[in-house]
Amino acid sequence: MIEARELCREFTLSRKIGRFRRERRVVTAVAGVSFDIAEGEAVGYVGPNGAGKSTTIKMITGILVPTSGRVLVSGLDPTRSRREVARRLGVVFGQRTQLWWDLPLVDSFELLRAIYRVDARSYARRLAECADLLDLGPFLDTPVRQLSLGQRMRGEITAALLHDPELLVLDEPTIGLDLESKERLREFLAELNAKRGTTLLLTTHDLDDIERLCHRLVVIDRGTVLADGPLKYLRHEVSPERVLVVELAAPADLAGLPGVASVSVEQGGLRQRLAFRRADTTAAALIAEVATRAEVHDLVVEEPEIGEVIRRLYARR
């Protein structure tokens, strides 16, 4: 669906020095980014502010022309085949809008239907589906300027999907939303990817979005790719240690179990945290060993949180 090869983008900045002179300098926003995204994938594209995420998105969507390198969407160059690419993708920018501010929401949809030349039957079916899943009915006739942020973002998602795109690009889609609105939006996007096979490319600082929606993570910093792979493998790479937390019926000594690096005791020995490395033992083997020493009421295997994984990737650079 997306093929990026050595993608670079530079900007020339100018500032005044002295009365009649200006100084120019070149800033590299994206420096040799390469990745592929297959049809039906859900990929998180993350990095700190200024890492080059939005610049990459703008090159993928044809808004910016790469300084060097190339990007293809469904085999098409976004800058040379803008209309064809536009029909194949939908874009949602959390801090931008494609809706008409003073018009009722449904009128914006009608205008977008005409722009994309969607036939009436397909439009009606698509709008009914989105209205049902995103609960748009109560405010379809409300002017966009009177909508809450959560309502407007549901409208933005619908607007991006009316022409049934193969690829949906989301740049901070849940920014500023309350918990209920975020959850509703995540459920809809997860279903869209799972049932319709729509490819998702998501950039966000809300790591819960990544955890919920994305099976793969591309981490970018200072315009280059730091890591690219399934989230579980990145966890293994940067944090080889896991923790087994056990709740016991009675205090017991769990020190010295094979493969355990350290043991911490809480609640007078009723809860114990056993740190172990994946290379030394498995969770299943460790649970079996614990069961031979004590009666277990409950247990859980803790994985490092996604925020910690990304932080360690940055630190490694």
Side-chain angles (χ1 to χ4, degrees), residues 14 53 92 107 123 289:
S14 176
K53 303 186 300 297
V92 176
D107 287 0
Y123 166 76
E289 288 285 347

Side-chain angles (χ1 to χ4, degrees), residues 74-92:
S74 290
L76 300 171
D77 186 326
T79 58
R80 297 181 179 180
S81 308
R82 293 196 67 175
R83 290 190 177 185
E84 291 81 357
V85 170
R87 291 190 181 98
R88 296 171 186 241
L89 65 82
V91 184
V92 176

